[in-house]
């Protein structure tokens, strides 16, 4: 790459040292070679500036995968439903009527929990009382192109423990909490 960049800079450098030259002439027998070299360099530069996912099979064509999934709801509608679910209890659980009878909570450590088990478990923890200034900081919502009924998002979250949080902190600690980014899905 560097040698080609130097080839492009050479005529300009030459003109800088020879300002009296008004026209450079290419000998007739070199014109085709110069044109071919210029086209080759232009093609390589275009390929180098193209995004890496273009025509590369390691990257999924998300639009095509979503279209092939044929899920009944369009991504914006599904994302809106996911946000409605999260808003219903401030990011901690959900209103029971938003959960289907076959709902299952599956976490990395906890679960699977049935709808009843989930509601009981989440109802026993009062995060708003323990962290009244807590902000879940949800962002990056997108529909999974391979599972058209799944919405992924990132949760960070921060707050200060100023209320009891049994059984973890029965007495407020006054400590601030800043979660790392967590990939979540509904």
């Amino acid at each position: 790459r560097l040698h080609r960049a130097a080839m492009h800079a050479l005529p300009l450098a030459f003109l800088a040292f020879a300002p009296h030259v008004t026209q450079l002439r290419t000998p007739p027998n070199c014109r085709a070679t110069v044109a071919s070299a210029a086209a080759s360099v232009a093609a390589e530069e275009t390929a180098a500036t193209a995004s890496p996912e273009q025509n590369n099979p390691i990257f999924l064509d998300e639009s095509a995968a979503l279209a092939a999934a044929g899920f009944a709801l369009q991504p914006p509608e599904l994302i809106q439903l996911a946000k409605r679910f999260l808003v219903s209890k401030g990011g901690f659980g959900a209103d029971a009527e938003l959960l289907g009878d076959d709902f299952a909570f599956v976490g990395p450590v906890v679960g699977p929990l049935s709808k009843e088990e989930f509601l009981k478990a989440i109802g026993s923890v009062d995060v708003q009382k323990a962290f009244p200034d807590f902000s879940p900081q949800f962002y990056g919502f997108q529909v999974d192109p391979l599972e058209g009924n799944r919405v992924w998002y990132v949760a960070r979250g921060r707050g200060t423990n100023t209320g009891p949080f049994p059984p973890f902190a029965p007495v407020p600690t006054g400590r601030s909490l800043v979660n790392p980014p967590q990939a979540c899905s509904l």
Side-chain angles (χ1 to χ4, degrees):
R1 299 278 305 140
L2 184 56
H3 68 278
R4 295 238 164 94
M7 277 178 35
H8 288 300
L10 183 61
L12 296 176
F14 175 75
L15 289 175
F17 291 108
H20 61 280
V21 176
T22 58
Q23 184 177 13
L24 294 176
R25 292 189 183 202
T26 305
N29 60 347
C30 293
R31 285 189 183 132
T33 303
V34 170
S36 174
S40 175
V41 169
E44 283 186 23
E45 286 177 349
T46 300
T49 59
S51 60
E53 70 274 4
Q54 287 180 337
N55 301 321
N56 191 324
I58 69 167
F59 296 103
L60 179 67
D61 182 342
E62 295 176 32
S63 298
L66 273 171
F71 193 66
L73 301 177
Q74 292 298 307
E77 185 179 359
L78 196 56
I79 289 169
Q80 188 61 36
L81 287 172
K83 289 180 177 181
R84 180 176 162 222
F85 177 90
L86 292 168
V87 165
S88 73
K89 291 284 187 178
F92 300 102
D95 289 333
E97 67 268 6
L98 294 177
L99 304 176
D101 292 334
D102 62 346
F103 172 86
F105 174 83
V106 181
V109 178
V110 178
L113 299 177
S114 69
K115 176 180 177 175
E116 293 74 28
E117 292 168 325
F118 172 75
L119 290 170
K120 182 179 176 186
I122 202 75
S124 70
V125 178
D126 192 347
V127 176
Q128 280 108 357
K129 185 174 182 180
F131 296 88
D133 65 340
F134 191 79
S135 172
Q137 297 177 323
F138 300 135
Y139 63 94
F141 288 80
Q142 79 174 41
V143 173
D144 188 319
L146 300 176
E147 293 181 64
N149 62 343
R150 182 180 299 273
V151 175
W152 287 96
Y153 62 98
V154 177
R156 293 227 31 173
R158 61 178 53 233
T160 309
N161 178 222
T162 58
F165 193 47
F168 312 106
V171 177
T173 65
R175 291 184 176 169
S176 292
L177 166 77
V178 178
N179 287 327
Q182 301 170 67
C184 305
S185 70
L186 297 170

